[in-house]
Amino acid sequence: MTTTPSGYELFRLAEQYLADGHPRHAISTLERMERDDLAAPAAQRLLALSCYRFAALGRAREIAERLVETDPSDAEAAHLLGRTLTRQGAPDAARRWLRLAAALDPREEHLAYADGMQLFAT
């Protein structure tokens, strides 16, 4: 008898796929989640990051924009939106989000991008 994995199990599996360098597998795993589970902010952030790493930048941007619209204090979503905009060639728009992420969560990575040290890095 085969059991359907729970949303939690799918989320953790997607995290592992992403950590192992397989963003497409992470995306497809997350897409197997129930709609309510996938709508959770943590799942949406993981989906946006997976899309970013898979170079599905339009989708990553769309998800990150929804996340920061829903919760303007979400530093991870703001950072991801800034990084996505950078990769899309919009550094001026990106700068706003990267600085916001650094202000909300002043960890080294956020500060480095906000200062422009890695603004054009992928």
Side-chain angles (χ1 to χ4, degrees):
M1 177 165 94
T2 305
T3 60
T4 303
S6 70
Y8 176 80
E9 291 167 328
L10 290 169
F11 180 86
R12 292 298 178 207
L13 181 58
E15 282 184 319
Q16 189 60 54
Y17 278 134
L18 192 60
D20 290 344
H22 303 289
R24 179 65 193 125
H25 293 305
I27 293 166
S28 62
T29 300
L30 289 164
E31 290 172 340
R32 291 175 40 207
M33 294 173 74
E34 296 290 328
R35 176 177 281 158
D36 288 345
D37 290 336
L38 185 56
Q44 287 292 293
R45 274 191 302 279
L46 185 58
L47 181 59
L49 180 59
S50 299
C51 289
Y52 172 84
R53 291 195 182 159
F54 189 62
L57 300 179
R59 187 170 181 202
R61 179 179 178 173
E62 178 184 307
I63 296 166
E65 285 174 338
R66 268 197 321 266
L67 284 166
V68 296
E69 183 178 306
T70 302
D71 181 2
S73 68
D74 187 339
E76 289 301 313
H79 183 79
L80 183 56
L81 179 54
R83 301 257 329 257
T84 302
L85 289 165
T86 299
R87 282 184 70 186
Q88 288 184 318
D92 292 336
R95 196 169 287 112
R96 168 187 177 212
W97 296 107
L98 294 170
R99 287 183 177 153
L100 177 62
L104 292 170
D105 182 4
R107 80 181 120 116
E108 187 176 326
E109 180 184 16
H110 291 180
L111 292 170
Y113 277 90
D115 289 341
M117 292 170 39
Q118 299 177 16
L119 191 57
F120 296 100
T122 57

